[in-house]
Amino acid sequence: MWPQDCIIHKRDGGELSRKEIYRFITDYTSGNIPDYQAAAWLMAVYLQGMTARETTDLALAMAHSGRIADLSTVPGIKVDKHSTGGIADTTTLIVVPLVAAAGVPVAKMSGRGLGFTGGTLDKLEAIPGFSTQLTPNRFLQQIRQHGAAVMGQTTDLAPADKLLYALRDATGTVESLPLIAASIMSKKIAAGADAVVLDVKYGDGAFMKTPVQARQLAQQMVDIGTLAGLPTCAVLTSMEAPLGTAIGNSLEIDEAVETLAGKGNSRLKAVVEEIGSRMLYMAHCTDTVAAGREKLQAVWKSGAGLKKFKELIRAQGGETGWIGKHALTQAPFVYTAVSTEGGYITAIKAKTLGEIAMRMGAGRSKKEDAVQPMVGIRLFKELYDPVRPGEPLFTLYSMTEDNLPQLALQVAAAITVDAQLPNNPASVIGGSIEATI
């Protein structure tokens, strides 16, 4: 009896056929399978796991539950990138214009932030006039004309994933690696790119807490891409500390502009180089990843990346007159705290800072919440930097002066200053994953 047979088959450790998976996803999306039976199926998958082939079929079934974007009218190999989310992760805002300036078209469909991880759309919409609501035709036209575009995910993109994700959240099955991998890759497949570079985070400010967990997830997603005919690689990056120094929507736009102009901190620049060089390589723009790094650095140094960023902002209706003149962030209340100790920054609790910024209004605890574009935290130091007593440590940007001293104490408590650096400071790059199937 359907769908009980499919649920029992997986519950007892069986390997589901492609026909079973496609039928289950199709029937659930069309309303022919109720939530309670889908919940039982999800729990069976959570407990028994899935093979690489099953997980790929699940990703493909969810991708084909809606429209598959057709990017064939855009010349060249279109490369996408995806981050599993973290604190002060401004990578997309920097790497997209750099890669586009190097001649590789980038079609980026992004989401909004939920919880302490900021969404790319929220950040871009902090720019006055910037629109992320593009029609498919305008999206394609902009990529052809300007080399890149960033838009919000449409409702017809992998609708089965949206339904299953909501159910996973309510049934305690969010942590299943096959379900996470299939969810992410279903949207990447549906987005229509020719290749994908994944940025899989681990640590205090990430969903995956250890490098081992991140590597397992990355390998599953790379295997899905390979089996689905979508060239995919992954980079593992640390979120033990914030990636950049800006936590908040307009603040991260400011940091992106600074970094494209040649400034910026070393951790953020290292991740941008790692992701960007692989995007150029995956697009056959260079013969090796090392050559991709050299090309990306040359584009960066020439200023072409910042020029392209301004071009993309204008193409999507945003104002650029402030760039090079003043910061975008103009909050009515600011509070700067100084260090009371001297030494080195040996730890910054990324999750704690993300949660504080969310409470200030930079993020949302429910998807219906609005965000305040101009609030957040700007650090003056990054992990392993030296600091002197009395030196500025961070600034809070707020729409109200209420509780700013108390919030500053909480931020300060999340930053550790020691007399010496650790013997072996951890790199922000934790390795890479290539296809093995």
Side-chain angles (χ1 to χ4, degrees):
M1 182 181 296
W2 182 265
Q4 290 93 321
D5 291 345
C6 183
I7 297 170
I8 292 169
H9 188 188
K10 177 47 65 178
R11 181 200 69 187
D12 293 344
E15 182 175 344
L16 300 178
S17 68
R18 176 173 299 175
K19 182 178 178 181
E20 285 178 294
I21 291 171
Y22 268 76
R23 183 180 176 187
F24 193 95
I25 294 302
T26 300
D27 285 356
Y28 179 60
T29 307
S30 60
N32 294 324
I33 292 178
D35 281 351
Y36 66 86
Q37 287 181 314
W41 185 84
L42 288 172
M43 187 57 73
V45 171
Y46 177 86
L47 295 173
Q48 296 292 351
M50 279 184 153
T51 65
R53 197 272 310 159
E54 282 180 295
T55 310
T56 302
D57 286 340
L58 177 58
L60 286 167
M62 291 194 293
H64 287 278
S65 68
R67 181 179 65 90
I68 303 293
D70 182 3
L71 306 181
S72 60
T73 61
V74 177
I77 298 175
K78 283 72 68 179
V79 182
D80 195 0
K81 59 88 57 183
H82 176 82
S83 169
T84 55
I87 311 300
D89 184 3
T90 318
T91 306
T92 294
L93 301 174
I94 303 165
V95 80
V96 167
L98 284 172
V99 170
V104 173
V106 183
K108 187 78 181 79
M109 294 188 186
S110 296
R112 299 191 181 280
L114 184 61
F116 54 79
T117 57
T120 297
L121 299 187
D122 299 312
K123 299 169 189 177
L124 287 170
E125 288 177 352
I127 302 172
F130 193 99
S131 174
T132 60
Q133 303 306 306
L134 307 181
T135 65
N137 285 339
R138 184 181 169 192
F139 183 62
L140 293 173
Q141 181 182 1
Q142 181 174 317
I143 300 168
R144 288 193 295 266
Q145 186 174 353
H146 300 285
V150 181
M151 67 176 287
Q153 295 169 355
T154 57
T155 56
D156 59 354
L157 186 78
D161 174 63
K162 295 180 179 67
L163 293 172
L164 283 177
Y165 187 87
L167 197 57
R168 285 165 54 204
D169 193 41
T171 56
T173 54
V174 168
E175 293 84 358
S176 166
L177 285 183
L179 295 177
I180 296 170
S183 172
I184 292 171
M185 291 305 294
S186 70
K187 294 189 283 286
K188 295 295 104 181
I189 293 167
D194 300 314
V196 176
V197 178
L198 302 167
D199 179 3
V200 183
K201 308 287 188 185
Y202 60 87
D204 176 61
F207 183 72
M208 311 308 293
K209 296 304 178 186
T210 69
V212 171
Q213 291 175 326
R215 183 170 291 275
Q216 290 171 340
L217 174 60
Q219 188 66 67
Q220 290 202 22
M221 292 193 291
V222 169
D223 289 346
I224 290 172
T226 302
L227 290 172
L230 176 63
T232 305
C233 70
V235 176
L236 307 180
T237 61
S238 172
M239 194 47 65
E240 288 294 353
L243 181 58
T245 58
I247 307 171
N249 299 295
S250 66
L251 287 168
E252 294 187 42
I253 295 291
D254 285 329
E255 181 163 41
V257 169
E258 293 166 11
T259 305
L260 285 167
K263 303 173 187 176
N265 73 80
S266 61
R267 287 166 54 83
L268 177 57
K269 291 168 80 171
V271 172
V272 168
E273 285 189 4
E274 194 69 27
I275 300 297
S277 60
R278 289 178 179 277
M279 291 176 73
L280 296 183
Y281 172 67
M282 297 284 278
H284 301 168
C285 182
T286 60
D287 294 331
T288 64
V289 174
R293 188 183 304 275
E294 291 179 5
K295 187 175 184 68
L296 193 82
Q297 289 172 340
V299 169
W300 204 335
K301 187 177 181 179
S302 73
L306 180 57
K307 182 179 178 182
K308 179 63 70 173
F309 189 45
K310 290 191 283 189
E311 179 185 336
L312 296 176
I313 292 172
R314 287 192 294 267
Q316 294 190 221
E319 298 178 12
T320 60
W322 55 274
I323 295 177
K325 296 180 180 178
H326 60 79
L328 176 62
T329 306
Q330 301 292 322
F333 298 97
V334 296
Y335 187 101
T336 298
V338 301
S339 179
T340 58
E341 304 172 90
Y344 297 90
I345 307 292
T346 57
I348 306 175
K349 295 180 180 178
K351 183 178 179 182
T352 299
L353 297 192
E355 290 172 340
I356 293 170
M358 183 184 73
R359 294 199 302 272
M360 294 175 70
R364 49 174 69 84
S365 58
K366 303 186 296 295
K367 64 181 181 180
E368 300 83 11
D369 292 346
V371 298
Q372 294 284 356
M374 299 290 173
V375 306
I377 305 166
R378 188 68 194 259
L379 303 172
F380 291 105
K381 300 289 182 179
E382 67 172 317
L383 191 64
Y384 306 134
D385 272 355
V387 61
R388 299 187 303 272
E391 196 173 6
L393 199 56
F394 59 86
T395 293
L396 303 182
Y397 295 80
S398 177
M399 301 305 292
T400 172
E401 59 183 340
D402 294 344
N403 300 320
L404 279 178
Q406 291 86 347
L407 289 171
L409 289 174
Q410 295 173 27
V411 173
I415 301 172
T416 302
V417 177
D418 285 324
Q420 294 183 332
L421 285 172
N423 291 329
N424 297 298
S427 171
V428 69
I429 306 296
S432 61
I433 303 291
E434 316 297 338
T436 58
I437 292 179

